[in-house]
Amino acid sequence: MFYRAFEGSGVFGAWPGWAVYGLAMLSIAVCLLLMVLTLVLVFSLAERKVSGFMQSRYGPMYVGRYHGLLQPVADMIKFLLKEDIAPTNVDKPLWRTAPAVIFTGAFLGFVVLPFGPGFVGAKLDVGLFYAFATSSIVVVGIIMAGWGSNNKWALYGAMRGAAQVISYEIPLAIAVLPVIMSVGSLNFGTITEAQSGWVWQWHVFNPILLVGFVIYFIASLAEVNRIPFDLPESESELVAGYHTEYTGMKFALVMLGEYADMFVVASIGVAVFLGGWNSGIPALDAIVPGPAIFVFKALVMVFVIMWLRWTLPRLRVDQLMNLCWKFLLPAALCMLLLYGLLRVVF
């Protein structure tokens, strides 16, 4: 869509095709980056407000004219101005590159998110596979940060993160396979269009796919290191885990990656199970823009993730692994087998 807009504008008529295409892709990347930065600022304030509400307090109130609305901006300025401290014995190439790798892995997932008809960065036929593949890059950055910091707490956190993400990626992927079997495509647009119409046509209202959604949601919490699965950065045990040695903009990049990844997994859940840009009421779909519906659903899922953080206790490492290998994985395999048998019979 963006490429056709650039090509048909007439302003770039004398430019070669590759230059117009490159400019269009750069524009998409800049727009997505600005959107990610805006979302992270909103999420950082929302997390504090949600935690304050859970604990019967107000949260940030004084920076900004109304309920601390400018607190995220003040935090961003603080990160920009803080001294970038590099410990003496760190592996500098790995240590310096890790925050960028963590953020890049989360940012790449935005390219295929189906915000609405025509509002997709790249309409890939393997969009769902691409989203899962790029989210795996985050754990590479976590391992780089833990090893490069030359700090035992950071290394413990990185090893926990690697074991956790590799384990929970299996039930996470299996949970969406019945939807792929039903639709016959990995394209996010095709999956979303299969849920158009009334609300009961969403995949989550199929009893078997509802189990898949529950498995996906639990596994996605582990993928983004959120409570009760925040073992890689458990403050009470590992100081701050894999980002113990980071300050200033490097720490800000790690935080950006975490919040961006949280929105990505929420958006994938919305697109695959919760109707995507469809409101569930055909008359409403003609009035409300699809991107507004999609973002609203994703924000509701993000709110639930934040809610759980201030509600549930942290699991132990053995409980974390037992939940994955003894419960989620067998449940996901049984769900997949049952759905496949029902499709063959009926």
Side-chain angles (χ1 to χ4, degrees):
M1 183 184 73
F2 289 96
Y3 175 62
R4 293 196 204 98
F6 273 86
E7 193 176 35
S9 65
V11 178
F12 308 99
W15 289 30
W18 62 266
V20 177
Y21 181 80
L23 185 59
M25 294 302 102
L26 180 61
S27 301
I28 294 173
V30 171
C31 291
L32 287 175
L33 182 60
L34 291 175
M35 185 185 72
V36 171
L37 294 176
T38 304
L39 284 172
V40 170
L41 292 177
V42 172
F43 290 165
S44 64
L45 178 62
E47 182 120 53
R48 295 182 181 188
K49 288 295 187 180
V50 170
S51 67
F53 178 77
M54 296 285 178
Q55 299 166 2
S56 297
R57 56 186 178 83
Y58 290 111
M61 289 292 291
Y62 298 107
V63 182
R65 296 183 63 85
Y66 182 75
H67 286 268
L69 288 179
L70 296 181
Q71 182 66 52
V73 179
D75 291 339
M76 181 178 64
I77 295 172
K78 180 190 72 173
F79 282 129
L80 289 171
L81 298 179
K82 281 182 77 71
E83 181 183 359
D84 185 16
I85 301 172
T88 305
N89 296 320
V90 298
D91 186 331
K92 290 186 178 179
L94 289 180
W95 183 76
R96 288 173 175 167
T97 310
V101 173
I102 292 172
F103 177 72
T104 301
F107 178 66
L108 288 174
F110 282 81
V111 174
V112 292
L113 294 183
F115 293 98
F119 287 87
V120 184
K123 297 180 181 179
L124 300 182
D125 290 334
V126 291
L128 188 55
F129 178 78
Y130 169 88
F132 284 155
T134 53
S135 66
S136 302
I137 298 175
V138 176
V139 74
V140 177
I142 290 175
I143 296 172
M144 291 170 62
W147 180 264
S149 294
N150 195 27
N151 177 294
K152 61 181 179 181
W153 308 119
L155 184 58
Y156 285 152
M159 294 302 101
R160 285 182 178 187
Q164 178 173 312
V165 173
I166 291 171
S167 298
Y168 278 84
E169 273 186 346
I170 302 172
L172 184 78
I174 295 175
V176 302
L177 283 180
V179 174
I180 298 170
M181 293 166 59
S182 174
V183 178
S185 174
L186 288 165
N187 188 302
F188 273 118
T190 306
I191 294 172
T192 303
E193 289 166 1
Q195 303 173 80
S196 59
W198 291 100
V199 66
W200 53 80
Q201 293 176 301
W202 296 359
H203 291 139
V204 74
F205 288 98
N206 182 308
I208 299 178
L209 299 184
L210 174 60
V211 176
F213 173 69
V214 173
I215 294 172
Y216 171 86
F217 182 71
I218 295 173
S220 68
L221 292 177
E223 281 283 304
V224 296
N225 304 324
R226 299 288 297 190
I227 282 180
F229 307 108
D230 69 329
L231 276 300
E233 51 187 88
S234 50
E235 295 86 355
S236 59
E237 304 168 26
L238 305 181
V239 187
Y242 60 90
H243 51 71
T244 298
E245 299 291 354
Y246 287 105
T247 59
M249 275 307 297
K250 291 186 177 66
F251 181 82
L253 272 178
V254 174
M255 188 182 72
L256 283 170
E258 289 184 0
Y259 279 121
D261 207 19
M262 186 168 62
F263 184 81
V264 168
V265 298
S267 298
I268 294 173
V270 168
V272 175
F273 294 102
L274 299 177
W277 62 69
N278 301 300
S279 68
I281 304 173
L284 190 61
D285 288 332
I287 301 173
V288 183
I293 296 172
F294 183 91
V295 172
F296 174 76
K297 291 179 182 177
L299 291 179
V300 170
M301 279 198 67
V302 170
F303 167 75
V304 174
I305 293 173
M306 293 179 179
W307 180 10
L308 293 178
R309 175 180 178 181
W310 304 101
T311 306
L312 300 178
R314 180 184 301 122
L315 296 179
R316 297 195 312 263
V317 177
D318 61 316
Q319 293 171 334
L320 177 87
M321 290 303 169
N322 284 338
L323 177 63
C324 176
W325 295 105
K326 293 183 179 180
F327 295 96
L328 286 187
L329 183 57
L333 290 173
C334 290
M335 176 206 63
L336 180 62
L337 178 61
L338 178 61
Y339 191 80
L341 289 175
L342 290 178
R343 284 188 61 85
V344 170
V345 173
F346 298 103

